[in-house]
Amino acid sequence: MNRAMKPLAYYAHSSMRQGNQIEVPIPYTIMGFDMPVFLSFEDIYEFINLQEISANCILVYMRYLEELCRINGQAEKFVFVSPSLISPVRTDTEDAGRRERADNLLSFLRDAPKERLYLVPHNRGRHWVLGVIDPWEDLVLYFDPLREKKRDDFTELMNMALADWKITTGEGIRKRRDCKTKFSNRPCPLQEGSVECGYFILGFMRDIVLNGIDALESKQFYTSEDLDLIRGEWSENVMEFINYDV
């Protein structure tokens, strides 16, 4: 555990074991409406101990990255889309609410200016992947820390949302509604264990925002120091909200 994580670890063990939670506000730019997420002791424990992490943990780091973009003058360049709006609730149902989830994504894309990128974490069933959407290029970049090519639900979801986007923006006049969006499986750091995928997705988003997609694609792996940096940033961000615990 690096130094940045220790204050949060101490707080969790001393103040959260009896069910107390930390409330972190998530802005409408990520969720489509303002709402809080509540981090439990289990969320904190799992994150600090490099175990599987929840969508709430992903959302908190997305909030941090969005603020970082605002500080760096990139607020118009990147949009972060909540995974809870587009990931299937059940994976044993073929459609799994895909129409509703595609509409959720479309609501973010509707007024997309050219050159804006949409960063979309997606959980395909206990495994996190990242999609980066460039709607005006009709292109989705796909980053999987296991480097598998199986996209299934994710591909169908993107095709539905972007087909409707072409119609609502007038792009459908020049591109047929049934024209398939281009997908590109991109190189990215390789996950060697079985539970690190969530941390890798946080790292992918961080690298894209700070260094660009090319810099991410040139990396073969993340070191333990890389993952500690991400976890330290997350922990310091959460500590800013300890006055909101309930």
Side-chain angles (χ1 to χ4, degrees):
M1 185 188 305
N2 68 18
R3 183 179 301 175
M5 288 185 274
K6 288 183 177 179
L8 181 60
Y10 175 80
Y11 178 81
H13 279 278
S14 63
S15 302
M16 299 181 67
R17 282 177 172 270
Q18 304 305 315
N20 290 342
Q21 296 179 311
I22 300 175
E23 179 179 343
V24 181
I26 305 298
Y28 72 93
T29 47
I30 294 175
M31 288 295 300
F33 46 87
D34 291 312
M35 67 161 287
V37 298
F38 295 91
L39 297 176
S40 65
F41 172 80
E42 288 73 19
D43 289 322
I44 305 297
Y45 179 88
E46 289 165 357
F47 198 94
I48 288 176
N49 288 280
L50 206 63
Q51 299 178 9
E52 287 187 55
I53 57 174
S54 67
N56 280 354
C57 294
I58 301 280
L59 281 168
V60 169
Y61 197 72
M62 292 170 77
R63 183 193 188 282
Y64 163 75
L65 289 177
E66 185 184 72
E67 180 63 25
L68 193 62
C69 286
R70 190 174 298 112
I71 293 171
N72 293 339
Q74 295 178 301
E76 295 301 315
K77 174 66 174 177
F78 299 105
V79 170
F80 301 89
V81 179
S82 167
S84 63
L85 297 176
I86 57 97
S87 297
V89 176
R90 295 176 57 195
T91 57
D92 59 339
T93 301
E94 182 178 354
D95 181 72
R98 195 176 292 139
R99 176 70 268 168
E100 180 180 354
R101 293 184 288 120
D103 288 342
N104 289 339
L105 180 56
L106 178 62
S107 69
F108 283 84
L109 301 175
R110 198 173 301 279
D111 298 317
K114 291 184 177 180
E115 299 185 358
R116 175 177 288 174
L117 299 178
Y118 293 79
L119 278 62
V120 186
H122 182 266
N123 192 303
R124 68 181 195 205
R126 299 196 70 179
H127 180 61
W128 288 100
V129 297
L130 178 69
V132 179
I133 306 171
D134 186 340
W136 285 94
E137 291 296 324
D138 202 11
L139 173 66
V140 179
L141 307 180
Y142 186 77
F143 297 92
D144 181 352
L146 291 178
R147 298 183 187 171
E148 297 179 346
K149 296 183 179 180
K150 183 179 179 181
R151 295 193 301 260
D152 298 341
D153 174 77
F154 182 85
T155 299
E156 294 302 318
L157 177 70
M158 297 295 120
N159 278 328
M160 290 178 75
L162 285 165
D164 287 348
W165 179 81
K166 295 170 198 174
I167 298 301
T168 60
T169 61
E171 285 292 286
I173 298 173
R174 295 178 291 279
K175 301 177 182 178
R176 297 196 322 274
R177 178 186 173 93
D178 61 353
C179 180
K180 295 297 184 182
T181 295
K182 299 184 293 292
F183 285 83
S184 179
N185 293 308
R186 308 303 295 182
C188 58
L190 177 64
Q191 168 189 345
E192 296 182 345
S194 60
V195 298
E196 304 101 320
C197 56
Y199 306 93
F200 274 59
I201 296 313
L202 302 185
F204 293 173
M205 291 190 290
R206 184 184 192 277
D207 275 334
I208 290 170
V209 165
L210 293 180
N211 304 308
I213 289 173
D214 291 343
L216 167 64
E217 294 179 351
S218 67
K219 291 187 176 182
Q220 295 298 312
F221 56 89
Y222 281 145
T223 66
S224 58
E225 289 78 13
D226 291 329
L227 297 182
D228 278 354
L229 174 63
I230 294 164
R231 292 157 66 220
E233 290 175 339
W234 186 90
S235 299
E236 290 176 336
N237 184 248
V238 170
M239 282 297 294
E240 297 180 10
F241 299 99
I242 60 172
N243 291 331
Y244 291 88
D245 57 346
V246 296

